[in-house]
Amino acid sequence: MTETLPFWKRKTLAGMTRAEWESLCDGCGRCCLNKLREEDGPNGEPGRLHWTDVACRLLDTHSCRCSDYENRKATVPDCVKLTARKLEKIDWLPPSCAYRLVAEGKDLYWWHPLVSGDPETVHLAGASVQDKAVSERKAGALEDHIVTWPGRLPPRSARPRAPRKEPA
Ligand code: SF4
Ligand code: SF4
């Protein structure tokens, strides 16, 4: 019975193969945006997170892909390679991120390429940073680029209704 479920519904993140893990990334590019963190609170609670629309210097802001993924650490040493263990501690993944959704026991949205079969739907749904982000090579001060949209679900999260057939 469970064998018919897709892998992200029947496997834990830690139990996925490398290929399954990599395919879980929807290519939205939101995690490649710079974030600002306020100082920790008096009891050590983590400071509030602010998103910016400023993308990492290696992100192609149209395709939303890393332009040098294999060698990215040479240019961006603090790029975080996600693992199941790290996910338990990370609090900055966007609510639309497939890794976060699966970790929280939720299903993927219709626009995820694994569901739609089309890598373009993540852009069509407004889930990606496509043409909404500016490269840090050009942006200037991060404080001038604080935005809230990366921390929210995209406006077109709901599955679009099939067009209604008009009576003949
Ligand atoms: S936010 Fe999640 S799904 Fe989107 S690019 Fe980053 S890791 Fe992939
Ligand atoms: S180095 Fe690549 S994967 Fe890492 S944050 Fe930058 S664009 Fe994203």
Side-chain angles (χ1 to χ4, degrees):
M1 177 69 180
T2 53
E3 282 302 306
T4 58
L5 292 173
F7 73 85
W8 64 90
K9 287 189 183 179
R10 63 182 157 81
K11 288 191 172 186
T12 63
L13 286 164
M16 291 179 186
T17 65
R18 173 86 196 267
E20 288 168 343
W21 177 272
E22 293 294 327
S23 71
L24 201 52
C25 177
D26 64 17
C28 72
R30 287 189 185 205
C31 61
C32 303
L33 296 174
N34 284 279
K35 297 156 278 288
L36 292 169
R37 172 89 70 184
E38 292 181 12
E39 283 185 21
D40 288 352
N43 300 317
E45 62 270 26
R48 194 171 155 213
L49 190 79
H50 296 277
W51 286 92
T52 77
D53 61 5
V54 178
C56 168
R57 68 193 56 203
L58 286 187
L59 191 77
D60 180 319
T61 55
H62 182 71
S63 71
C64 307
R65 294 287 177 180
C66 183
S67 58
D68 193 14
Y69 189 70
E70 291 305 318
N71 305 305
R72 65 196 188 283
K73 284 280 193 182
T75 315
V76 186
D78 59 349
C79 174
V80 176
K81 182 175 169 55
L82 291 179
T83 63
R85 188 169 291 181
K86 280 186 198 162
L87 273 171
E88 293 169 13
K89 296 186 184 152
I90 287 173
D91 69 348
W92 45 258
L93 282 174
S96 55
C97 174
Y99 297 98
R100 179 170 162 182
L101 290 170
V102 172
E104 293 175 350
K106 297 173 183 165
D107 200 358
L108 304 181
Y109 284 95
W110 69 270
W111 39 260
H112 193 292
L114 285 173
V115 179
S116 67
D118 179 355
E120 286 302 306
T121 48
V122 66
H123 308 306
L124 294 172
S128 78
V129 306
Q130 187 174 67
D131 301 333
K132 291 188 289 207
V134 55
S135 172
E136 65 188 13
R137 294 175 195 270
K138 307 175 189 165
L142 290 180
E143 289 78 5
D144 296 335
H145 286 272
I146 290 175
V147 290
T148 56
W149 60 262
R152 297 196 304 262
L153 284 172
R156 294 185 286 283
S157 290
R159 186 181 287 275
R161 288 191 191 151
R164 212 174 52 192
K165 195 173 174 211
E166 290 297 319

